Amino acid sequence: MTEADAARRTVVPGHPVTVPAEGPATAPRGDRRPVALLLPGQGSQHPRMAAGLCHDDHGFTNALDEAFEAMGPQGEHLRAEWRAARPRLPIDHATRSQPLLFAVDYALARMVEGWGVRPSALLGHSLGELVAAVLAGVFGLADAARVVVNRSHEVAQAPPGRMLATAASPADIAPLLVGGAVIGAVNAPRQTVVAGTVRAVEATRGMLAGAGITHRAVPSLTAFHSPVLRRTRAHAARAFASIPASPPRIPLYSCYTAARLSAGEARDPAYWADHVTAPVRFWDALCALLSTSPYLLVEAGPGQALSRLARLHPDVRAGRSAVVPLLPARSGPPSRDREAARRARRLLEAEGIGGPTCDRPLSAGVGR
């Protein structure tokens, strides 16, 4: 299979183009590589994501409780919605997907910490970068959780929008954008996401179909990473200006600059506010990360979207870096969550990473 063919079969973070059969995680080799956590964002959500780990792994359960508590009065309601077989609002609604993804990503990262794993780098996709910022000590958990909850309600008030995942390059897509649709994310060389108003995306969908470009709807009711959220960006800027921020204590690679986050960027409210309107550059950020060292890339979030993208990278294809997802590729019974997490732990232990105890927290100041 060519790299282009593999890209067409690979799932964009939460935005499937096609869904291949689930394969084994890349097997780690004998020498020890540093760990980088990959934290997914919008589109990776599904009902009761990671629910099989609740009460099975104490680190996950305690961190999930911590995240919901940090969300204030809405935390218990969000927990109930996460548990519900038939929640009041669909999981793709911004007021559900955003805070629930934040809580689950955070809890999975802390679960890995409880296994004795010390990440040497962090790379979050879209919302996942805010989780990475908490893990790196840029923001306190309570501050970031409140921003996520409040921002999700602002996002929900924006004009309806849509997103499309395409199996094409940005250069292929750009001439086909109509009605104000924009490129919202570049997740791999032939994995480009289109975002915009419902009318703009539907018009662009027709252009894509006419050009024979494979595309699928992204599970989102909002046009993230597009001008549709300009008003939300203004609210977010004020919110981030009101909370303290510190330089990252763990190297954090930005999906917006495709470089390591600087101390100045970490403290800049405008940088964080831009996330809702700026395009995601996951592939460039991944390339920047892997240019520094081989890594064991651990996906700490629902699904395996980032793992599939990472497996396209030449360093992973050559075996210099490896990929370990913590959860199954698709939703299923709770037992599948537990089996996937235990398998991931065995792979980490085979790499010589982790242990029965935790000698220090993932980042200082997390609870401030």
Side-chain angles (χ1 to χ4, degrees):
M1 180 185 296
T2 67
E3 183 171 344
D5 290 335
R8 291 187 183 96
R9 295 181 57 199
T10 297
V11 176
V12 178
H15 320 318
V17 172
T18 60
V19 181
E22 182 178 349
T26 305
R29 59 186 192 179
D31 52 322
R32 180 170 176 169
R33 289 164 284 197
V35 168
L37 292 186
L38 304 181
L39 300 139
Q42 181 72 30
S44 290
Q45 73 278 356
H46 61 78
R48 293 182 55 77
M49 50 189 168
L53 299 181
C54 201
H55 306 301
D56 182 72
D57 187 288
H58 293 302
F60 176 85
T61 305
N62 292 339
L64 195 67
D65 289 343
E66 185 184 7
F68 283 130
E69 183 178 352
M71 291 176 184
Q74 295 190 54
E76 281 306 308
H77 178 65
L78 286 164
R79 184 202 300 274
E81 287 282 279
W82 171 70
R83 287 175 171 168
R86 294 182 179 180
R88 187 174 63 86
L89 287 177
I91 188 66
D92 296 338
H93 195 278
T95 62
R96 297 297 179 265
S97 59
Q98 294 277 294
L100 293 180
L101 277 168
F102 179 90
V104 169
D105 281 11
Y106 174 76
L108 287 168
R110 294 296 297 271
M111 178 181 78
V112 171
E113 173 197 17
W115 297 349
V117 176
R118 303 287 171 260
S120 298
L122 303 163
L123 172 55
H125 187 285
S126 189
L127 175 76
E129 188 163 318
L130 269 177
V131 182
V134 173
L135 300 175
V138 174
F139 301 121
L141 174 62
D143 289 331
R146 286 194 297 271
V147 168
V148 168
V149 171
N150 292 337
R151 189 182 69 175
S152 72
H153 286 275
E154 291 292 339
V155 164
Q157 299 303 313
R162 295 291 183 269
M163 302 175 78
L164 290 177
T166 73
S169 71
D172 293 332
I173 296 298
L176 305 176
L177 297 172
V178 293
V182 299
I183 291 174
V186 180
N187 292 315
R190 293 187 59 82
Q191 294 284 347
T192 306
V193 175
V194 173
T197 64
V198 174
R199 179 175 294 183
V201 170
E202 286 306 310
T204 300
R205 186 197 295 270
M207 299 291 286
L208 294 169
I213 293 175
T214 301
H215 56 279
R216 294 289 185 272
V218 172
S220 176
L221 303 178
T222 302
F224 288 98
H225 313 299
S226 80
V228 174
L229 296 184
R230 282 197 189 101
R231 182 177 175 182
T232 301
R233 188 223 170 271
H235 284 280
R238 291 192 290 272
F240 281 109
S242 71
I243 63 175
S246 302
R249 295 184 176 90
I250 301 172
L252 193 165
Y253 284 78
S254 167
C255 266
Y256 298 90
T257 66
R260 184 169 168 177
L261 188 72
S262 69
E265 288 163 340
R267 292 193 177 103
D268 183 4
Y271 168 80
W272 298 103
D274 283 344
H275 285 198
V276 294
T277 54
V280 171
R281 299 169 60 194
F282 177 79
W283 185 257
D284 289 343
L286 179 66
C287 290
L289 169 68
L290 294 183
S291 72
T292 65
S293 167
Y295 274 97
L296 197 63
L297 301 166
V298 176
E299 184 169 5
Q304 297 182 8
L306 298 187
S307 295
R308 288 195 178 103
L309 289 173
R311 288 188 182 113
L312 294 176
H313 194 280
D315 274 17
V316 176
R317 293 165 69 91
R320 290 185 291 273
S321 293
V323 178
V324 178
L326 294 179
L327 290 175
R330 293 170 293 280
S331 61
S335 60
R336 291 189 66 203
D337 292 339
R338 295 189 286 271
E339 290 163 2
R342 289 166 187 166
R343 181 171 180 271
R345 188 168 186 176
R346 288 194 299 271
L347 289 171
L348 290 168
E349 289 172 350
E351 184 89 7
I353 296 171
T357 59
C358 175
D359 58 0
R360 66 175 174 84
L362 189 64
S363 65
V366 163
R368 70 165 188 267

